[in-house]
Amino acid sequence: MTELAKSSKFPDIPDIPSEIQDAAKQGKLVIFVGAGVSRLVGGPSWDEMANKFLDQLANQKSAALTFADVEQLERYGARTKISIAMDISRKDGFRPINFGDVLQPNIANGIPKVYKDLYAMNACFVTTNYDEWLDKLAEPH
């Protein structure tokens, strides 16, 4: 650890600028929620997601893919693997991919705190994330 790091005291949570606080109070705050938040709570990377989709297909009783097939697909990028998995899962006789098991693996633990904290900020959210944590918070109880 450097001398500067030893002598500096960083707060655990930085102070929120007044402009952000004001926007939240006025209902004008827009928060962009990206994949980093999903990854913080155990969501998969693109490659992990692609591999889990393929594994689901290989684990079916009437296996759409063998584990040898999955191994051969390792050299391809996530987009290609996801496309292959989606094409196979749409064919008759195969169970569709269970997206929930892949995208929200820790659903039994309830809604993660980071999402609750974000939702409490009185903001509008823009996201391309596949998880549904913000959706679940927005549902009427």
Side-chain angles (χ1 to χ4, degrees), residues 51-61 63-74:
N51 291 335
K52 287 178 182 185
F53 287 172
L54 293 171
D55 287 345
Q56 278 189 16
L57 294 171
N59 280 313
Q60 291 187 24
K61 285 183 182 167
L65 290 173
T66 66
F67 287 103
D69 294 331
V70 172
E71 192 174 303
Q72 286 183 351
L73 291 171
E74 278 297 313

Side-chain angles (χ1 to χ4, degrees), residues 13 31 112-122 125 137:
I13 300 173
I31 297 176
K113 184 178 181 323
V114 67
Y115 282 98
K116 291 177 182 177
D117 291 344
L118 284 168
Y119 195 76
M121 294 181 74
N122 188 32
F125 297 94
L137 285 165

Side-chain angles (χ1 to χ4, degrees), residues 9-28:
K9 292 189 178 185
F10 297 102
D12 289 337
I13 300 173
D15 292 332
I16 299 172
S18 61
E19 295 86 0
I20 292 175
Q21 292 177 23
D22 292 343
K25 287 176 189 169
Q26 297 169 15
K28 296 179 180 180

